[in-house]
Amino acid sequence: MAPDSEFANASFGKPDFDVVVVGSGFAGLYLLHKLRELGFSAKALEAAGDVGGTWYWNRYPGARCDIMSIDYSYSFDPDLETEWQWSEKYATQPEILRYLQHVAAKHDLRRDIAFETRVESATWDKDSSRWLIRTNRGAEITCRYYVMAAGCLSKPKEPEIEGCDCFRGEVYYTSRWPHRGVDFTAKRVAVIGTGSSGIQSIPLIAAQAKQLTVFQRTPNFSIPAHNGPIPTHRLADYERDRASYRERGRWSRFGVPVELSQIGAMQVSEDERRARYEAVWEAGELVGIGLAFNDIILNPKSNETLCEFIRGKIRTIVTNPETAEALCPTDHYVATKRACLDTNYYETYNLGHVRLVDLRKTPLARITETGIDTTIETFEFDAIVYATGFDAMTGPIVAVNITGRNGVTLRDRWAAGPLTYLGLMTTGFPNFFAVTGPGSPSVLSNMTVSIEQHVDWICNCLKDLRDENLEVIEPTATAEAGWVQHVNDCANITLFPTANSWYMGANVPGKPRVFLPYIGGTDAYRTACNEVVARGYLGFVRSGSGQRRVNDGVIRRLQPDVQMLLEAMSALNLPPLEEMSPEAARAFSSELSAVRPPGPEVGEIVDGVLPGAGGDLDYRLYRPATAGPHRVVVYFHGGGWVLGSHDSDDPFCRDLCVRSNAVFVSVNYRHAPEHCFPAAADDAFAAVRWIGDHLETLGGVPGPLVVCGWSAGGNLAAVVCQMARAAGGPNICGQVLVAPVTDCDFSRPSYTENGVDYVLTKPLMNWFWDHYADPANRTDPKASPLRANDLSGLPRALVVTAEFDPLRDEGAAYAEAMASAGVEVKHLPCRGQIHTSLTAVDMILSGAGARAEISAAIRQFFHQVEDLVMRDN
Ligand code: N01
């Protein structure tokens, strides 16, 4: 964070402009308009000869938007919506460019734009709190605020192909297409690259050229755009009430007002799945993928069904089987590289003069004076078209030499990947904003919606600064680190990081492999941005006129799927369990259990009965599908000694059984208040003893056991280990305590911090304890194992705690106390998780890492035993 003195001494002289904007595409134009409206002086600097941004440069044949034109347009000026009629579902580049020119003219924006002016450097001057901007025209401009609105895909990637400069024929880049147009009639043409630009241009180039050869390194998934008139149902929806249509778009997942599916692909029959995919194919809309199922970018199995559907279509359309196979993507999941919309793309390969060269089989060797050499063939061409993509998102920003505080350049600060707060600002670069920067939804959303949201946020922020007599704003290091973590958390529960995509920076040699945009959704993102403001610009330092306001903090600390679950539960307005009778609470919990995902398949499930301390107890045994016999884990379910059963924790047991390759025996025990303390503990110990004596009958390996439990079950697992130590058996080689109850004391900070909002509440814990144990009994180590006088000699332990759990601190305290007593303990604190999320298999994907670690610990406990046996032999 900035030292106080810098802000205290800053002199706030008048710069040339309040704001300098780089770019005059969708973002730059709206910025100019909005800033003017708010009374700020602003200048836009634009390298091109006119407005348009992306749509000025990318004039290649077939260039169109692939978000429907009514959605891919401004919403800030309602008159525009009536005076401009889009001619097609997906507007062409010339039509979009005309639209932007119309907007510029209508709002008289060109008078504040310097064209053919490229920004070369921007330097923060801390003494005057201004940015000094230098351009290719030699001008030096000063401004208070510097905004990069240069687009996410505006810096073409250098084609890293040997011999690029030696070709003597015509050379074109889709990203810098000549304004005069190009006539390929009677020419032999090569296209390198099969991303969106290649896929859009190839059919039109083929229509002209005498011969077209496409050099493909990676095939892409594409679905037909079915371009034509705007679909009537969508147009009717839009025209019925434009304002509400736009508002729905703003609060949607991708910036397009469509209802996404609530069902996963594996939850329906194969016929229904196919029917839904046919509908996606027919709709010709990229967001249609989200309309089909809700887990396409989350679940590899679900995604693979769509991959195979599209491959099937390719094989049907393309008549040459070898070409069809080469066009079928097999190295990435659908949508993890930007999916494409096309018009006759696959059909083009059925034309006699079009050939596909699969660079995976015969790599491109070099460009020659007359054409292209692959490793096995020489080609001659009249023209080569590079459709090789962009240095996306960070490329256009760091292309300008931006120097922030203490002489640090942005290029250096982002050397290992971009660091931003909300994708809007970066620490050490005061008053510098990026529109749709890395860490914001940008390219994973309808850009126009995201641009308007960013411009509104930035302009309102500048207005708030002015209203509060402040002039400088910068994110704190904590806020920025928190946001970067959140962006990664969101990406890590999806399949996106598995692909070598430009989203990951993987297309540019040497670029750090970091997921660049924010996949949490435009709705969730908008909520976070609004919340930052509502909480007094949380995560920012704002200063000026001798004031300095620091509001440090992190806006999103929960794992994204945990946050979504909590929001969904809050919307359901569920009754508090602690206000119910135990019977009603049990019935209610069972209802909830019945609707969650089932967990993975295991080899075998056997229900049985074993003798407890006060009568028979039901158990359920999970056997892995691998060849046995297996080591055995005894498991105790959660539910505060009052609720739950082997049904309630069934998915968790299945998951751990599969991951740890061990038999799990999940034992029901007597519940309070019918059977109070110490009935549950005595049952748990009796069960472990009986299982220890019957390992071979159960199909297990004779020898030691592991005990495991969650919540109250974690309490029982810990208590059983103490009881077994006292009794001299059974032999337990490891204990896994997941968010365990270890003490009856509610005074630890985690009860204060997390006692209300995270499912397991302080009142609910009170209710559990009140049913389970009289106050006099609660301090007994059989109820509060942390209270034991001596914790030495207990089995090795893994203690898992969740950050937003009232029980977090008592779990950590038990781990610490065992370690102090010489027990080998690993404590696994789970960031962003709540008490109930670690066991929510297939619902909380971010909990999968913890479950993998639990299973690794179980395997390790058993390996240590096997190592000892081998050593003894
Ligand atoms: O670029 P790309 P693009 N040798 O990076 C290949 C947006 N957009 O300009 O995948 C051989 O997608 C590269 O191969 P590989 C949209 O967001 C929107 O097409 O790296 N091949 C790939 O096939 C899009 O995603 C619209 O193995 C090389 C291709 O070139 C983004 O812009 C229209 C190579 C590059 O594909 C970028 O699309 C157009 C090499 N050395 C674009 N280097 C709309 O419809 C690269 N390739 C709105």
Side-chain angles (χ1 to χ4, degrees), residues 55 58 60 63-67 72 153 157-161 174-175 192-200 215-220 337-341 359-360 364 387-390 443 500 502-503 506-507:
W55 303 103
N58 290 267
Y60 60 84
R64 293 175 185 275
C65 62
D66 52 14
I67 295 282
Y72 193 81
L153 294 154
K157 185 187 83 132
E158 301 297 327
E160 63 295 340
I161 305 172
T174 49
S175 53
I192 303 175
T194 51
S196 297
S197 306
I199 282 177
Q200 284 187 330
F215 292 85
Q216 170 192 272
R217 189 164 63 185
T218 311
N220 235 320
K337 282 179 93 138
R338 169 66 145 66
C340 304
L341 281 187
L359 297 179
R360 294 274 161 100
L364 204 157
T388 42
F390 299 88
V443 291
N500 287 321
W502 59 256
Y503 296 136
N507 63 328

Side-chain angles (χ1 to χ4, degrees), residues 45-366:
L45 308 177
E46 170 59 68
D50 195 13
V51 299
T54 282
W55 303 103
Y56 176 91
W57 297 106
N58 290 267
R59 297 168 181 246
Y60 60 84
R64 293 175 185 275
C65 62
D66 52 14
I67 295 282
M68 250 184 243
S69 43
I70 47 171
D71 299 314
Y72 193 81
S73 51
Y74 288 123
S75 71
F76 74 86
D77 176 358
D79 293 342
L80 252 183
E81 297 181 344
T82 46
E83 70 200 26
W84 188 271
Q85 300 299 322
W86 293 104
S87 64
E88 288 177 280
K89 178 180 171 190
Y90 297 113
T92 58
Q93 173 271 332
E95 188 172 12
I96 301 172
L97 188 59
R98 278 201 305 280
Y99 172 78
L100 290 172
Q101 289 166 342
H102 170 77
V103 173
K106 178 179 178 192
H107 293 284
D108 189 19
L109 298 174
R110 283 193 180 87
R111 75 177 148 91
D112 286 326
I113 306 172
F115 293 107
E116 294 177 354
T117 305
R118 181 177 292 282
V119 178
E120 292 184 337
S121 71
T123 308
W124 174 249
D125 177 38
K126 78 176 169 64
D127 295 328
S128 61
S129 295
R130 305 173 191 182
W131 283 95
L132 305 175
I133 313 290
R134 287 200 175 81
T135 72
N136 61 336
R137 292 174 170 266
E140 186 174 281
I141 306 165
T142 60
C143 59
R144 181 77 66 220
Y145 305 103
Y146 170 52
V147 186
M148 279 301 266
C152 297
L153 294 154
S154 52
K155 183 169 186 285
K157 185 187 83 132
E158 301 297 327
E160 63 295 340
I161 305 172
E162 192 189 323
C164 267
D165 297 336
C166 51
F167 182 62
R168 282 187 282 135
E170 300 162 30
V171 174
Y172 303 103
Y173 295 86
T174 49
S175 53
R176 293 287 180 271
W177 203 257
H179 288 206
R180 58 181 157 77
V182 180
D183 186 358
F184 289 114
T185 307
K187 293 196 172 139
R188 298 163 302 165
V189 183
V191 173
I192 303 175
T194 51
S196 297
S197 306
I199 282 177
Q200 284 187 330
S201 57
I202 283 164
L204 286 143
I205 296 175
Q208 271 189 346
K210 180 170 87 180
Q211 198 187 86
L212 172 65
T213 309
V214 177
F215 292 85
Q216 170 192 272
R217 189 164 63 185
T218 311
N220 235 320
F221 290 102
S222 185
I223 59 175
H226 298 302
N227 198 23
I230 299 166
T232 44
H233 68 281
R234 214 36 179 276
L235 197 57
D237 188 15
Y238 172 64
E239 291 192 334
R240 194 174 306 120
D241 181 351
R242 292 198 180 99
S244 91
Y245 181 94
R246 295 291 196 178
E247 193 61 4
R248 277 189 284 133
R250 289 184 195 109
W251 288 100
S252 64
R253 183 72 58 78
F254 300 111
V256 179
V258 290
E259 285 289 324
L260 298 182
S261 171
Q262 299 296 324
I263 194 165
M266 307 313 290
Q267 289 171 261
V268 301
S269 69
E270 206 176 322
D271 285 350
E272 180 171 353
R273 207 158 43 230
R274 186 160 185 94
R276 284 176 182 240
Y277 290 152
E278 288 290 355
V280 170
W281 190 262
E282 281 315 309
E285 208 181 349
L286 285 180
V287 287
I289 293 173
L291 302 183
F293 295 111
N294 66 2
D295 62 346
I296 293 294
I297 59 161
L298 302 175
N299 183 341
K301 278 191 194 145
S302 299
N303 193 297
E304 182 53 33
T305 60
L306 180 55
C307 293
E308 199 41 41
F309 172 85
I310 299 177
R311 289 185 207 118
K313 289 287 186 191
I314 298 170
R315 290 179 187 121
T316 314
I317 298 169
V318 179
T319 48
N320 178 326
E322 200 184 331
T323 307
E325 259 348 278
L327 286 165
C328 286
T330 52
D331 74 338
H332 65 277
Y333 294 108
V334 182
T336 56
K337 282 179 93 138
R338 169 66 145 66
C340 304
L341 281 187
D342 72 88
T343 302
N344 295 331
Y345 175 63
Y346 294 117
E347 290 82 350
T348 300
Y349 292 96
N350 293 337
L351 302 174
H353 68 294
V354 177
R355 178 176 166 195
L356 181 74
V357 175
D358 182 352
L359 297 179
R360 294 274 161 100
K361 284 196 179 143
T362 57
L364 204 157
R366 71 192 61 77

